Amino acid sequence: MADIVFQPTFVHQEFVDGPDGDRVRAAEPNGFNARFGAIESDLRQLSTVVGQIDAAVDRRGTGPADHVLTLAPMLQGAAGGTLPWRITPSGAAQFGQDEDAYGLMEVALPDNVRLTSFRVMGQVGVNVVGLAVLLSRVKIPGGTPEVLAGISGATDPFDSSADVDPSLAVTQTATYRYIVQASVINSGTSVTLAAFQIAYTSS
């Protein structure tokens, strides 16, 4: 896009008082007609430039925008599952050694946006076994969760991302609920999940 420029043309020339000074005139290069005509021309040009700026702002606002939603892992237990995660005063989800844990949480997402990635952060010992964190959708009023993105593994600190399945990436909040599920089997060490992040693109 070309630069938007406003270049004024009117330059005020001081009137001079006194017997040898200027006389008020309508015509001539220094008369009021010429001066006000130059000001009027500048105002028209300024109006055009303002319109160009407004159009440029509108065009910039219509393109895709990237967003990141950060969530505290407020994981709740579920019927038939293993022991629930403990929520610390800082809002992290934590579990101790030699135990199994399971939890899930609802995620409120905007409608008709494209999910791009799922990220999980925390502290996980190297001996952890069976850690899995899934971003899924469930058809309303009920059904089997469809996994959009899944993360597993063990590093300390734990910071891992996964791309969302492109075929399931566009949100449909009138048709699906969105959940995060986190489970760990016989951790052998403490596990702390500090935050979840969901990246998405809106048009």
Side-chain angles (χ1 to χ4, degrees), residues 70-128:
T70 300
L71 304 166
M74 305 301 290
L75 298 163
Q76 304 293 318
T82 53
L83 295 174
W85 292 80
R86 293 186 289 270
I87 306 302
T88 70
S90 67
Q94 191 173 66
F95 218 75
Q97 299 181 4
D98 302 323
E99 296 176 322
D100 298 346
Y102 175 79
L104 63 81
M105 61 180 281
E106 296 276 351
V107 180
L109 293 171
D111 187 42
N112 197 34
V113 299
R114 179 169 292 278
L115 306 180
T116 55
S117 66
F118 178 52
R119 181 184 181 191
V120 181
M121 293 163 282
Q123 288 80 41
V124 179
V126 295
N127 296 321
V128 68

Side-chain angles (χ1 to χ4, degrees), residues 111-166:
D111 187 42
N112 197 34
V113 299
R114 179 169 292 278
L115 306 180
T116 55
S117 66
F118 178 52
R119 181 184 181 191
V120 181
M121 293 163 282
Q123 288 80 41
V124 179
V126 295
N127 296 321
V128 68
V129 176
L131 172 65
V133 186
L134 308 176
L135 174 63
S136 304
R137 70 180 188 181
V138 181
K139 195 163 188 178
I140 300 170
T144 302
E146 297 177 271
V147 176
L148 279 63
I151 291 172
S152 61
T155 58
D156 193 14
F158 185 72
D159 189 344
S160 186
S161 299
D163 293 334
V164 172
D165 183 342

Side-chain angles (χ1 to χ4, degrees), residues 26-50:
E28 299 184 354
N30 199 33
F32 278 104
N33 287 344
R35 289 192 175 210
F36 284 121
I39 294 173
E40 182 182 22
S41 176
D42 281 351
L43 290 175
R44 287 200 189 98
Q45 183 186 355
L46 180 60
S47 175
T48 300
V49 169
V50 170

